[in-house]
C-alpha cells in the first residue's frame, strides 16, 4: 500500500517521492530523506495499516515506495495488488496517478466540513475484483466512490471494464461518480448541436437534480411549441428520429486536475454514439468536489443555469410565435386567393352551362382526365398523404375540370382528404409550399 497511518495521520509515500522529484531531487537523495524522516517509526512498528490497523513496514524500492505487512496481509493489501495491476493495464498510469492526487486534495478540502472521510479505494475492508480510486465515507454510513477516468477509451474492452466496475459498486451499495479526463471531451458536430461519445462514456452517464429540471423544462417547452420546432431550434436537428424519441437528460463531468477546472456536459442521448448538447459549462474543480444543499450529490452546477434556461425558453417561444403568425398570415392569403380563383371558375362554369356565354368563339371546355388506373393511384396517395407536387397538380386539374359532373359526396371526400393532409391551422403539417397551395385549392373546390 502507498499509504499508512502514523497515529491518525495518513502518510502517502509515493506523494512524498513525487514532491521531491518535482524539486529535481535524485533517487538516492530521496531515499536518504525519507529514511531520515520515517525509518525510525517503521522500525518501532508505529506505522499501521489503514484497513486492519496492524503494523506495517516502509519499503523504498526504486520502482515503488510502499508499506508492507509484517505478517499475513489483509483485504487492503490484496486490493492494492489488484489496483496497481489495474492502473497499469487499463489506465494512463502517470496521468492517473497525478490527477487522482489532485482530485483527492480537492475532495478532502471540500468535504471536511461535512465530516466526510476520503480514503484510498484499496483500503476497503473487503476484497474487491475491481478497485475504486477513492472512497468517501459519510457520517450516516453511506459510501461514495470517485474514479478518475484516463483509460484506453477506444478499446471495447474498456467499455466492458466500466460496465463491470459499475456492477461491483452497485453490489457493494456504493454510490459512484466518474471524473473523466478532459482528453475525452468531444467538440460539436459541424452542423448539429451534438457531441460524439465513446461506448465507455455511455456507461458513465449520470442523472442529477439539474438534469431532471432540464427534462421538465423540455417537456413544458414542447407543450408550448411542438417537438419538431424544439428539436430544430435547440439542436439544429431537421428531422425527428424515426424511433420514439425520449428527452432523457444525463450528464458527464470532464476534469483538468492540473488546471483546477471541470466541465459539466448535459446531453440528450440521440443514439449509442451521439448525444445532443443541451448545455455545457465550465466550473472550478473546487465546486465539482463540493456537495449540493441536500448532500446527496456533487454540485455539478453553473450558478446561472436556471437563468440560462429561462433565457433560452423566452427566445424559443418568441421565435415560435413569430413563425406561427407568419404561417397563419400566409395561409389566410393563400385561402383568400384560392377562394377568389374558385369563384371565378364557378362563374365561368355557370355561364357556360346556361349558354349565356356559349358561342363559336367560346366552346364548351373539353376535359382530358387521367386514366381510371392513374386516377385511382393518385386518390390512394392523397389518402395515404404521400402525394407529391406534380401528382397533386394532376389530381387538382382533374377535379377542377370535372367538378360540375361530380356528386356532392365525392367532392366532399376530396376536400376532406386535402384538409386532413394540410393539418389543423393551429398546428399545420409541414409540406412544400407549392404542395400546400394545391391542397388548399383542393380543399376549396
Amino acid at each position: 500500500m502507498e499509504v499508512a497511518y502514523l497515529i491518525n495521520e495518513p502518510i502517502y509515500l509515493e506523494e512524498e517521492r513525487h514532491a521531491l522529484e518535482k524539486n529535481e531531487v535524485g533517487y538516492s537523495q530521496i531515499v536518504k530523506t525519507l529514511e531520515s524522516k520515517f525509518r525510525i517509526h517503521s522500525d518501532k512498528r508505529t506505522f499501521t495499516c489503514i484497513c486492519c490497523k496492524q503494523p506495517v513496514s516502509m519499503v523504498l524500492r526504486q520502482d515503488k515506495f510502499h508499506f508492507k505487512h509484517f505478517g499475513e496481509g489483509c483485504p487492503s493489501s490484496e486490493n492494492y495488488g489488484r489496483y496497481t495491476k489495474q492502473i497499469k493495464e487499463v489506465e494512463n498510469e502517470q496521468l492517473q496517478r497525478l490527477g487522482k492526487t489532485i482530485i483527492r486534495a480537492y475532495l478532502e478540502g471540500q468535504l471536511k466540513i461535512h465530516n466526510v472521510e476520503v480514503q484510498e479505494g484499496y483500503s476497503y475492508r473487503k476484497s474487491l475484483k475491481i478497485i475504486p480510486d477513492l472512497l468517501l465515507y459519510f457520517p450516516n454510513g453511506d459510501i461514495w466512490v470517485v474514479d478518475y477516468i484516463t483509460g484506453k477509451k477506444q478499446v471495447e474492452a474498456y467499455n466492458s471494464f466500466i460496465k463491470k466496475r459499475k456492477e461491483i459498486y452497485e453490489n457493494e451499495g456504493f454510490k459512484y461518480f466518474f471524473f473523466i479526463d478532459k482528453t475525452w471531451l468531444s467538440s460539436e458536430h459541424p452542423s448539429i448541436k451534438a457531441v460524439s461519445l465513446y461506448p465507455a462514456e455511455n456507461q458513465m452517464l449520470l442523472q442529477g437534480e439539474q438534469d431532471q429540471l432540464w427534462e421538465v423544462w423540455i417537456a413544458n417547452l414542447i407543450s408550448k411549441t411542438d417537438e419538431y420546432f424544439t428539436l430544430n431550434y435547440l439542436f439544429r436537428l431537421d428531422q425527428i428520429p424515426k424511433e420514439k424519441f425520449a428527452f432523457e437528460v444525463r450528464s458527464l463531468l470532464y476534469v483538468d486536475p492540473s488546471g483546477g477546472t471541470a466541465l459539466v456536459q448535459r446531453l440528450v442521448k440521440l443514439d449509442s454514439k451521439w448525444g445532443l448538447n443541451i448545455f455545457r459549462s465550465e466550473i472550478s474543480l473546487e465546486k465539482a468536489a463540493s456537495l449540493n444543499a441536500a448532500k446527496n450529490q456533487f454540485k455539478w452546477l453553473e450558478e446561472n443555469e436556471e437563468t440560462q434556461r429561462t433565457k433560452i425558453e423566452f427566445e424559443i417561444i418568441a421565435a415560435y410565435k413569430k413563425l406561427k403568425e407568419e404561417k397563419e398570415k400566409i395561409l389566410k392569403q393563400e385561402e383568400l386567393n384560392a377562394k377568389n380563383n374558385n369563384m371565378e371558375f364557378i362563374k365561368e362554369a355557370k355561364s357556360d352551362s346556361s349558354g349565356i356565354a356559349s358561342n363559336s368563339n367560346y366552346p364548351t371546355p373539353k376535359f382530358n382526365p387521367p386514366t381510371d388506373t392513374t386516377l385511382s393511384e393518385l386518390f390512394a396517395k392523397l389518402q395515404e398523404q404521400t402525394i407529391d407536387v406534380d401528382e397533386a397538380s394532376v389530381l387538382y386539374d382533374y377535379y377542377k375540370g370535372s367538378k360540375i359532373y361530380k356528386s356532392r359526396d365525392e367532392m366532399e371526400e376530396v376536400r376532406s382528404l386535402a384538409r386532413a393532409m394540410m393539418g389543423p391551422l393551429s398546428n399545420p403539417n409541414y409540406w412544400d409550399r407549392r404542395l400546400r397551395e394545391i391542397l388548399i385549392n383542393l380543399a376549396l373546390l
Side-chain angles (χ1 to χ4, degrees), residues 179-380:
F179 286 50
I180 308 171
D181 190 74
K182 67 175 182 179
T183 55
W184 286 54
L185 181 62
S186 164
S187 58
E188 275 194 357
H189 184 281
S191 57
I192 302 171
K193 286 191 67 178
V195 292
S196 56
L197 300 169
Y198 290 112
E201 281 174 294
N202 269 311
Q203 297 284 347
M204 293 184 281
L205 287 166
L206 299 174
Q207 185 177 56
E209 58 185 354
Q210 282 299 314
D211 301 307
Q212 294 171 351
L213 290 174
W214 277 102
E215 282 188 6
V216 173
W217 178 83
I218 292 173
N220 289 335
L221 190 57
I222 289 175
S223 70
K224 296 175 183 177
T225 58
D226 64 52
E227 187 171 338
Y228 175 86
F229 187 86
T230 298
L231 278 173
N232 187 273
Y233 197 100
L234 284 177
F235 310 117
R236 299 191 294 272
L237 196 64
D238 292 331
Q239 295 182 344
I240 297 176
K242 292 181 180 178
E243 297 181 3
K244 184 172 175 58
F245 196 73
F247 286 95
E248 297 177 348
V249 181
R250 298 291 185 269
S251 287
L252 295 167
L253 183 80
Y254 300 92
V255 296
D256 176 10
S258 60
T261 60
L263 187 138
V264 181
Q265 171 68 73
R266 306 200 193 284
L267 54 84
V268 177
K269 190 173 177 181
L270 184 60
D271 54 34
S272 61
K273 294 183 178 180
W274 290 95
L276 298 173
N277 173 24
I278 190 166
F279 187 79
R280 64 163 52 174
S281 63
E282 187 172 286
I283 60 175
S284 66
L285 195 49
E286 181 179 58
K287 182 177 289 186
S290 302
L291 298 181
N292 64 359
K295 300 179 185 178
N296 60 357
Q297 293 173 342
F298 284 114
K299 196 175 182 179
W300 294 357
L301 169 68
E302 173 60 55
E303 293 297 345
N304 68 343
E305 198 160 328
E306 179 64 35
T307 304
Q308 290 293 321
R309 272 198 298 270
T310 303
K311 180 183 177 183
I312 296 169
E313 181 175 356
F314 178 82
E315 291 174 352
I316 291 178
I317 291 176
Y320 181 72
K321 184 179 179 181
K322 183 179 179 182
L323 177 65
K324 191 174 178 182
E325 289 173 350
E326 289 175 351
K327 285 189 174 182
E328 287 180 353
K329 185 178 179 181
I330 293 171
L331 184 61
K332 286 179 181 178
Q333 185 61 50
E334 289 173 347
E335 289 176 344
L336 181 60
N337 292 341
K339 283 181 180 178
N340 291 335
N341 292 337
N342 195 47
M343 290 300 295
E344 289 179 9
F345 172 76
I346 291 173
K347 288 178 181 178
E348 291 176 4
K350 285 183 177 179
S351 176
D352 288 344
S353 63
S354 63
I356 294 173
S358 180
N359 54 46
S360 59
N361 295 325
Y362 298 94
T364 302
K366 198 172 180 182
F367 301 108
N368 295 303
T371 65
D372 290 341
T373 302
T374 303
L375 182 61
S376 176
E377 290 174 352
L378 295 179
F379 197 80

Side-chain angles (χ1 to χ4, degrees), residues 394-412:
V394 171
L395 201 61
Y396 171 67
D397 289 342
Y398 168 71
Y399 278 106
K400 180 181 177 182
S402 59
K403 177 183 176 183
I404 58 176
Y405 307 113
K406 300 292 183 182
S407 69
R408 179 180 296 180
D409 289 343
E410 185 176 353
M411 292 307 301
E412 180 53 39

